[in-house]
Amino acid sequence: MGTKKRDGCCKKFMKFLFSHVGLCAMVILYCVAGGFIFEHLEKNNEQQICYESRNEYTPMENKTIDSVLKIFSDYGFPNANNRVLMEVQIRSVLETFRDNTLAIGYDGRVCSDYGLPDGPTYKWSWPGALMFSVTVISTIGFGHIAPKTVWGRLVCIAYAVLGIPLMLLCLANIGDVLADIFRFIYAKICCCGCCRRKKSPRTKVVQIKPMQRGGDHDPAWKTDKSNEFSRLPTKSPTGSTDTNGNDKSRPPSKTSRPGSRVPSPVGKAVKIVPLDLKHMNRPPPMKNDPVVLDDDSDDDDDDLDEKKITVPLTITMIVIGGYIFGGAVLFGLWESWDWLQSAYFCFITLSTIGFGDVVPGTDFENPQAQAQLILGAIYVLFGMAILSMCFSLMQDEIIAKCKWVGEKLGILDKNDD
């Protein structure tokens, strides 16, 4: 008993897990868990990298200062004779310092102040790691941050291997559901109900007039003299017929019983099968009892009514453009980007290109940087679902158009899929 109950609970859990709500919950929890995992793996390493970069930068900075001072000590105060030579040497020293600084990647942060109110902000904070997790499983891959530790890279590979199929499965299911919802809204509102499918009833209720009862509750077929069976002539063995159904030449045998074989005039045995009078003696329906008859005449109509409503490509493109425009306005206000830069980021992100040259929340001096990263992650998740919906609608519309063209050209029949 306990095993059956356990199996039933497992089946219910698995059914919920792979439902639309369950898949969305799994993706969200997977991203949240990825944020905590990568934050734990890379946060401490970020500070350690800062210390290593500063240790490389400090000697190079001191060497650059010594080189500049040596130039001034060799040539003294710049004048008309030595000014050109001093400028060439100082410029060479500064260019070397610039290239080495860019190679090291140190930006002058105070590494000991990480995590303090006025100190530098971690790139691998939970919002930053959440944004990274979303870009990994959605195959966007901005590249603005990347794991540097051995364990971080190994976990990133395993995280992507499990997360990408989960994300694709969720987008496929959610996209189909949203497409059905959008078709319903389009049929009810945009088409003003003209695209509604008319369902023909599969059954018809017919009121049949009750039959007249004969005397002694006999069925009507027994008392009706005009019954068609009474009009059939009966042929006698000698060839004569009697319209009343009586055989004049040969009286019926008293020993004949149902199922017995009677010799026929031509020498063949005829088996007499008794009639089943149970159904014939059944009383007719009452006066107010309707009789329900199945009607299959609407099967052809159902095939016509089951046509899927397709949404025009223009409306689908308007939905995509509207979502990109809304994101452009939102990120333009948050990041102080111009409208072209904001729209460029939204398109590159939703199309999963992900150059990474424009990413929200990278200005870590901004106190709203963490909120912008969370907002960017939410925008990406919802945008991928809406884009999947639009792709599903566009696919149905293109298939419908191709089928229509094929029917016009005579390549396809109307009944062909």
Side-chain angles (χ1 to χ4, degrees):
M1 186 68 180
T3 305
K4 292 183 179 180
K5 185 176 181 181
R6 194 183 308 112
D7 293 340
C9 294
C10 291
K11 289 181 180 179
K12 290 181 180 179
F13 176 74
M14 294 301 295
K15 185 177 180 180
F16 170 77
L17 193 64
F18 288 97
S19 63
H20 302 300
V21 179
L23 286 173
C24 291
M26 287 175 62
V27 170
I28 293 174
L29 292 177
Y30 196 75
C31 293
V32 171
F36 285 110
I37 292 172
F38 288 110
E39 179 189 11
H40 175 72
L41 293 175
E42 297 292 333
K43 190 173 184 179
N44 295 330
N45 185 66
E46 181 180 351
Q47 190 174 10
Q48 185 64 30
I49 290 175
C50 179
Y51 281 114
E52 294 175 358
S53 300
R54 191 189 65 179
N55 293 335
E56 293 182 15
Y57 172 82
T58 302
M60 185 187 62
E61 183 183 35
N62 294 332
K63 184 179 180 180
T64 302
I65 294 174
D66 293 338
S67 300
V68 173
L69 293 177
K70 186 177 183 302
I71 292 173
F72 277 98
S73 64
D74 292 341
Y75 291 96
F77 189 80
N79 51 40
N81 296 326
N82 59 12
R83 184 181 181 87
V84 176
L85 295 176
M86 291 180 65
E87 287 182 358
V88 171
Q89 294 184 10
I90 292 175
R91 183 176 289 108
S92 176
V93 171
L94 293 179
E95 287 178 354
T96 303
F97 174 77
R98 179 197 61 193
D99 296 338
N100 292 334
T101 303
L102 293 175
I104 294 173
Y106 181 69
D107 55 0
R109 296 182 180 184
V110 182
C111 301
S112 59
D113 292 344
Y114 263 100
L116 298 178
D118 295 333
T121 306
Y122 283 102
K123 293 181 180 180
W124 284 102
S125 60
W126 183 80
L130 174 66
M131 185 67 174
F132 171 78
S133 302
V134 172
T135 58
V136 168
I137 65 174
S138 60
T139 68
I140 297 174
F142 284 135
H144 61 297
I145 56 174
K148 299 293 192 299
T149 63
V150 175
W151 282 108
R153 290 175 176 177
L154 291 176
V155 171
C156 181
I157 294 174
Y159 188 82
V161 168
L162 296 177
I164 292 175
L166 177 63
M167 186 68 175
L168 295 178
L169 180 63
C170 178
L171 290 177
N173 284 271
I174 299 304
D176 292 338
V177 172
L178 293 178
D180 293 338
I181 295 174
F182 194 85
R183 289 190 195 97
F184 177 79
I185 296 175
Y186 174 77
K188 296 295 183 181
I189 298 177
C190 298
C191 294
C192 300
C194 62
C195 293
R196 295 176 184 172
R197 294 179 297 182
K198 298 179 180 180
K199 295 183 178 180
S200 302
R202 291 186 176 275
T203 58
K204 292 183 179 180
V205 179
V206 182
Q207 186 73 30
I208 297 179
K209 186 177 180 180
M211 300 173 64
Q212 299 292 333
R213 293 179 180 269
D216 297 332
H217 303 285
D218 290 337
W221 67 275
K222 289 185 178 182
T223 58
D224 190 1
K225 299 299 183 179
S226 62
N227 191 286
E228 295 296 333
F229 293 103
S230 62
R231 298 179 185 179
L232 295 176
T234 303
K235 184 178 290 186
S236 63
T238 58
S240 62
T241 59
D242 186 5
T243 58
N244 294 327
N246 298 325
D247 190 356
K248 296 180 180 180
S249 62
R250 185 176 180 179
S253 175
K254 294 182 180 181
T255 60
S256 299
R257 61 182 183 275
S260 62
R261 296 183 179 272
V262 179
S264 63
V266 294
K268 294 183 180 180
V270 179
K271 184 177 180 180
I272 301 176
V273 181
L275 294 176
D276 187 7
L277 301 179
K278 293 181 180 180
H279 298 286
M280 301 181 68
N281 291 328
R282 182 178 298 173
M286 300 300 294
K287 182 176 181 181
N288 296 325
D289 291 343
V291 177
V292 180
L293 301 176
D294 290 335
D295 188 8
D296 296 334
S297 61
D298 57 348
D299 291 340
D300 296 336
D301 297 336
D302 290 342
D303 296 337
L304 299 176
D305 295 337
E306 292 297 328
K307 291 182 179 179
K308 185 181 291 186
I309 298 173
T310 58
V311 180
L313 295 176
T314 54
I315 296 180
T316 308
M317 298 302 295
I318 288 174
V319 172
I320 297 176
Y323 192 79
I324 293 176
F325 176 78
V329 173
L330 186 62
F331 286 107
L333 295 176
W334 279 64
E335 295 284 343
S336 299
W337 295 339
D338 56 27
W339 67 271
L340 180 58
Q341 191 175 13
S342 300
Y344 168 80
F345 162 75
C346 295
F347 176 77
I348 293 299
T349 300
L350 296 181
S351 60
T352 68
I353 298 174
F355 289 132
D357 53 343
V358 181
V359 181
T362 54
D363 184 10
F364 295 99
E365 301 300 330
N366 187 356
Q368 296 179 344
Q370 306 298 322
Q372 292 172 6
L373 287 173
I374 297 176
L375 179 65
I378 296 174
Y379 179 82
V380 170
L381 288 176
F382 276 95
M384 296 294 290
I386 292 177
L387 207 67
S388 178
M389 176 198 75
C390 293
F391 285 162
S392 179
L393 294 174
M394 293 170 67
Q395 181 181 2
D396 294 339
E397 176 66 9
I398 292 173
I399 292 175
K401 293 296 183 183
C402 292
K403 184 178 178 181
W404 178 81
V405 172
E407 292 175 357
K408 293 297 182 181
L409 296 176
I411 302 174
L412 297 175
D413 295 333
K414 292 184 177 180
N415 297 326
D416 293 339
D417 292 335

